Amino acid sequence: MLNFRHLYYFWIVVQEGGFSRAAERLGMAVQTVSMQVRDLEKALGHQLLKPSGRGVALTDAGQAAFARADEVFHLGQRITDEVREAASTGTVRLSVGLSDGISKLAAHALLEPVLATPQLRLVCHEGEFEELLSELALHQLDVVLAGQAAPPNPNRRLRSERIARSTIQWFGPTSLVKKSARDHFPRSLAHLPVLLPTSHSPLRAALDQWFHAIHVRPRVVGEFEDSALLAVFAARGLGVFPVSELGAKDVSLVRGLRQLGSSPDVAEEVHAIWSRRGQNHPLVRRLLAGGQGAETGP
């Protein structure tokens, strides 16, 4: 087992730039700190530090060790802060990762089963799928919501389950959503300016297949990772855009939009992904129970 005390001393030495300043910060003898770092190097089988002027510098192996040590001890500080906060206020914290591929307008509906929790402190992180899975594996997140299931990886030990499937609706500004555009939907998408999610989103692939199947080449004028941005730019007159029916419930929050049509053959899926620790979180269990099998549309 790695000795985390030795790792901590090494981390402090790197932060302080040398053994003397690290020993002063730790309130220990320089020889003691030096010996602990040497023991770490022996345990890892590689030299981590090398002399540099009056201080020390990282070797290549040391850079790798320091990067992980930084993650470990920052996470440790978060644990301390969160435990103190929970003990003093009774706050229930839920950290959710939202993959950049899913509709952010649907986030409120997806999280609705836990929003009435007393003393809830909800923390939402947005990021790329792989980045969020890494944070989940490091227990920096309790659950990730994404447009796809977790890929098999025995090292991460993640589980996933589809919690929603929602068909797609189209909205746009009043200036573009005329009666003729609605009557000739989806053919009108070949003439109207269209805003689409980027290729990061699984929904984009489904939409491209749908366009091909109905023989419509959309006039794409913008691509966005965030569905909320789609709605804002659409409301400003830039174009029409697709959104899942779950997300459509919050489209009304953006003024000046009206429905153009629907694509019942296209659906957005949302999967909840969690780690072994996450499965014991009461709000993760409630989220799964509230969303399991939820579907909208035909």
Side-chain angles (χ1 to χ4, degrees):
M1 290 288 291
L2 182 66
N3 188 314
F4 282 90
R5 185 175 294 276
H6 295 171
L7 184 66
Y8 179 70
Y9 293 155
F10 161 73
W11 185 58
I12 296 297
V13 169
V14 176
Q15 286 186 326
E16 296 297 327
F19 288 100
S20 297
R21 288 190 293 273
E24 183 178 349
R25 175 174 167 182
L26 293 166
M28 302 172 66
V30 174
Q31 295 82 355
T32 301
V33 176
S34 178
M35 183 176 63
Q36 302 291 333
V37 173
R38 285 200 301 271
D39 287 343
L40 176 65
E41 291 178 323
K42 290 178 184 178
L44 295 175
H46 295 280
Q47 182 182 355
L48 304 179
L49 299 171
K50 59 185 178 182
S52 176
R54 295 184 178 182
V56 293
L58 288 165
T59 64
D60 289 344
Q63 289 178 358
F66 180 73
R68 289 304 183 190
D70 214 34
E71 293 179 4
V72 167
F73 294 117
H74 278 103
L75 179 60
Q77 183 59 52
R78 284 186 57 189
I79 293 172
T80 302
D81 294 342
E82 289 172 14
V83 168
R84 184 188 303 115
E85 180 181 314
S88 60
T89 66
T91 299
V92 182
R93 180 187 176 95
L94 180 66
S95 292
V96 181
L98 299 172
S99 171
D100 57 13
I102 70 167
S103 168
K104 303 307 181 298
L105 285 174
H108 181 269
L110 293 168
L111 294 172
E112 192 169 9
V114 304
L115 295 181
T117 303
Q119 301 296 323
L120 172 66
R121 181 176 178 181
L122 179 65
V123 181
C124 290
H125 300 264
E126 183 180 359
E128 295 186 2
F129 183 62
E130 282 298 326
E131 175 186 306
L132 293 177
L133 293 190
S134 296
E135 293 179 12
L136 184 63
L138 289 170
H139 308 306
Q140 295 173 356
L141 297 172
D142 298 308
V143 64
V144 167
L145 302 182
Q148 56 190 301
N153 187 330
N155 295 323
R156 283 177 170 167
R157 299 182 180 180
L158 302 178
R159 297 182 58 190
S160 58
E161 184 171 305
R162 193 184 81 180
I163 60 170
R165 181 183 182 277
S166 181
T167 54
I168 298 302
Q169 296 181 353
W170 290 79
F171 286 82
T174 305
S175 59
L176 295 176
V177 183
K178 305 293 187 181
K179 183 177 184 303
S180 59
R182 294 197 304 269
D183 291 344
H184 294 92
F185 181 85
R187 300 292 173 189
S188 55
L189 294 176
H191 309 290
L192 292 170
V194 174
L195 309 178
L196 291 177
T198 65
S199 57
H200 285 80
S201 170
L203 176 59
R204 176 59 181 272
L207 286 168
D208 287 343
Q209 292 174 5
W210 178 66
F211 288 133
H212 180 75
I214 63 174
H215 306 292
V216 168
R217 180 177 294 180
R219 186 161 71 87
V220 180
V221 299
E223 298 179 66
F224 298 81
E225 289 185 350
D226 191 327
S227 60
L229 279 178
L230 277 173
V232 170
F233 277 84
R236 293 295 183 179
L238 189 61
V240 300
F241 71 102
V243 64
S244 69
E245 191 171 345
L246 281 173
K249 296 176 181 178
D250 284 334
V251 165
S252 60
L253 297 176
V254 182
R255 296 179 61 183
L257 293 175
R258 61 189 302 188
Q259 187 172 353
L260 171 65
S262 60
S263 304
D265 297 329
V266 186
E268 179 179 40
E269 292 189 351
V270 179
H271 297 256
I273 306 171
W274 67 96
S275 65
R276 181 178 296 179
R277 189 190 79 160
Q279 70 183 7
N280 296 318
H281 195 302
L283 296 189
V284 173
R285 294 200 300 268
R286 190 182 304 172
L287 185 66
L288 294 171
Q292 282 180 350
E295 298 197 11
T296 65

